[in-house]
Amino acid sequence: MTEYLTVTSASTEDESILRAAGVIRRGGLVAFPTETVYGLGADALNPRAVARIFAAKGRPTYDPLIVHLAGLEDLPRVAREIPEVVYRLAEAFWPGPLTLLLPRQDIVPENVTAGLPRVAVRIPAHPVACALLKASRTPIAAPSANRFGRTSPTSARHVLADLEGRIDLVLDGGPTDIGVESTVLDVSGGQPVILRPGGISRESLEALLGPVRLLTASPAGDSEPQVSPGLLDKHYAPRAELVLFHWRQSPAGVIEKMAEMAQERAARGELVGLLLADEDCEQFVDGAFQVFRLGSETGLEKIARSLFAGLRALDEAGVDVILARDFGEQGLGLAIRDRLRRAANRQVDV
Ligand code: TXA
Ligand code: MG
C-alpha cells in the first residue's frame, strides 16, 4: 500500500511532512515534489533504503542517484575537495535546479554513486522538498519518481500511475513548476561540461563561468565511454511511438510536414497525437487528431512545464504515434530538445 498525503503548509511542523520524515528515517521510500519533477526519496546514507529505490523503479544499479541537501552547510558531509567555483554556483543557483558532481565522502554508500568516485548533489528549491529534508535530518537520494525509462512525473497522480504499491508514501504538493529535471554540470576539468541540460540554462551558466560545453548525446549502443551512465540512453519514453521534427530555417515548414505525416498515419487507421505550441494549432483544425497544447512558443517556461504531462496525456488517450516538434536551443529549449530526443523513436529534419 502506498499512503497518499497532501501538504497544505510546507513547514517542518506539518503533520504530513513529519510523517514522511519518519518514513525516510526508518529506511522507507517517499515520493515528494521538487521544483523540477517529483523525486523518489530515501535516506542517502542508508544503503538498504537506497537499494529499495532501484528496486521500486526497476532502475539498473549502474545508474547513479542525485543526493539532495537541505543547505550548503551539509555539502562537506557528502562531498570533498570542493572547489571555489562550486560556492559561486551555489550562490547564484542554489536552492535550484542545478546538480553538481564532486568527489564523494566515504559516508555516501557505493550504491548511491553506482560505484563511481563522484557524487551528484543539489539543493532543491521546492518548499515541500526543503521541509522534508530539514525534518528528516539526513541527505535524501532521489531520482525522478517514475518507472525506469518512462517520463518523469510532474504531479502526484503521475507518481501513483507508475509506482502505486511499490513505495511507502507520496506527498502531494501540486504540479511542479519547472517541469524538466535539473541541469547536471561537471566542473572538475578545465571547461565546465553540461552532462544533462535542464532547469538552469546554458546561457545563465555561461554568464557566470564563461564558455560551457554541452555533452552531446550519442545514440544508444554507441561505443563511446559513458561519462555519466544513464544519461545517454533512450529514456523518457511514452508508450506510443514518438517522431520528433527539427527545422533548419523556420518552424513553419516543420508544421507543414507534421500535418502531412499526421494525415498519412491517420489514413492508415492510426490514432495520431500531436504535441504542439498554441501557434501551430491552426494547421490541424479538422479535429481528427489528439492535440495537446503545450503553450505559446514564445514562453518556453510554460512549454517545459507541460511537456511531460503532454506525453502522458497522449499516452492515456491511447494514441499510436506522437508527432512532436523541436523548440530551438535558447534557454529551456535545450532541455526540451534533449528530453524529446531521448524519447523519440525517429527524428525528421525539415
Ligand atoms: O531535477 C532532478 O534532477 C530530479 C529531481 C528529483 O531532483 N532528479 C533526477 O534524477 O532527475 P534522475 O536520477 O532521474 O537523473 C539523474 C541523472 C542520472 O541519470 C545520472 O546519470 C546522473 O544524474 N548522475 C547522478 N549521479 C551521478 C554521478 N555520480 N556521476 C555521473 N552522473 C550522475
Ligand atoms: Mg529520471
Side-chain angles (χ1 to χ4, degrees):
M1 263 294 284
T2 298
E3 192 177 356
Y4 169 91
L5 295 172
T6 46
V7 185
T8 39
S9 69
S11 85
T12 47
E13 322 287 73
D14 179 88
E15 261 181 49
S16 305
I17 295 287
L18 286 172
R19 188 163 178 89
V23 172
I24 295 282
R25 296 219 49 102
R26 289 191 297 276
L29 300 184
V30 175
F32 62 97
T34 79
E35 75 280 29
T36 56
V37 300
Y38 273 70
L40 177 59
D43 181 350
L45 305 183
N46 176 347
R48 287 171 63 192
V50 168
R52 292 190 61 208
I53 293 180
F54 289 95
K57 283 187 57 120
R59 178 172 172 128
T61 51
Y62 63 72
D63 196 355
L65 308 178
I66 296 173
V67 172
H68 297 69
L69 304 174
L72 199 52
E73 61 284 0
D74 293 333
L75 187 60
R77 278 179 81 191
V78 296
R80 57 197 169 75
E81 297 165 39
I82 302 163
E84 182 269 336
V85 65
V86 165
Y87 290 98
R88 276 198 289 142
L89 286 162
E91 170 82 28
F93 302 113
W94 277 352
L98 179 67
T99 296
L100 298 172
L101 292 178
L102 289 165
R104 81 175 164 102
Q105 292 283 15
D106 291 338
I107 195 179
V108 179
E110 284 211 4
N111 58 354
V112 170
T113 61
L116 296 170
R118 291 187 299 170
V119 60
V121 285
R122 85 176 187 99
I123 300 174
H126 196 289
V128 171
C130 297
L132 177 64
L133 280 159
K134 286 205 189 90
S136 303
R137 286 174 281 112
T138 184
I140 293 180
S144 49
N146 50 279
R147 289 297 287 263
F148 177 70
R150 305 228 75 90
T151 312
S152 292
T154 54
S155 74
R157 191 176 70 78
H158 296 163
V159 175
L160 288 171
D162 274 22
L163 298 173
E164 168 106 73
R166 306 180 68 89
I167 62 178
D168 299 299
L169 176 68
V170 181
L171 286 178
D172 188 346
T176 59
D177 184 41
I178 294 174
V180 291
E181 302 85 346
S182 62
T183 302
V184 180
L185 185 71
D186 181 355
V187 288
S188 62
Q191 190 176 355
V193 184
I194 293 176
L195 302 183
R196 176 179 72 181
I200 297 291
S201 71
R202 181 185 197 166
E203 293 89 333
S204 31
L205 290 171
E206 289 190 328
L208 192 80
L209 304 174
V212 172
R213 196 161 73 82
L214 176 69
L215 186 81
T216 42
S218 41
D222 197 308
S223 57
E224 246 183 71
Q226 297 208 342
V227 186
S228 182
L231 281 179
L232 302 182
D233 303 343
K234 179 168 168 2
H235 221 323
Y236 304 97
R239 278 168 231 280
E241 176 190 350
L242 192 140
V243 184
L244 174 60
F245 288 76
H246 298 273
W247 71 82
R248 299 220 181 278
Q249 267 96 41
S250 86
V254 155
I255 304 309
E256 226 167 87
K257 267 276 177 305
M258 285 172 86
E260 237 168 67
M261 188 182 283
Q263 297 288 3
E264 260 171 49
R265 303 288 294 246
R268 279 197 243 156
E270 290 179 43
L271 185 57
V272 178
L274 295 155
L275 208 53
L276 297 173
D278 295 343
E279 290 84 350
D280 307 331
C281 288
E282 282 147 40
Q283 304 259 357
F284 300 91
V285 277
D286 72 352
F289 312 116
Q290 289 286 327
V291 176
F292 189 96
R293 284 176 175 239
L294 294 166
S296 167
E297 64 185 348
T298 59
L300 290 181
E301 280 78 16
K302 172 97 189 294
I303 304 267
R305 193 179 300 139
S306 27
L307 182 68
F308 292 155
L311 289 170
R312 281 183 184 257
L314 291 175
D315 253 349
E316 281 166 20
V319 303
D320 299 295
V321 60
I322 298 172
L323 309 186
R325 54 163 287 198
D326 184 54
F327 285 90
E329 51 187 36
Q330 302 282 303
L332 286 170
L334 210 54
I336 295 168
R337 172 184 291 174
D338 172 78
R339 304 309 185 269
L340 284 173
R341 257 195 187 155
R342 283 193 277 146
N345 302 76
R346 184 143 82 87
Q347 304 190 49
V348 179
D349 278 304
V350 178

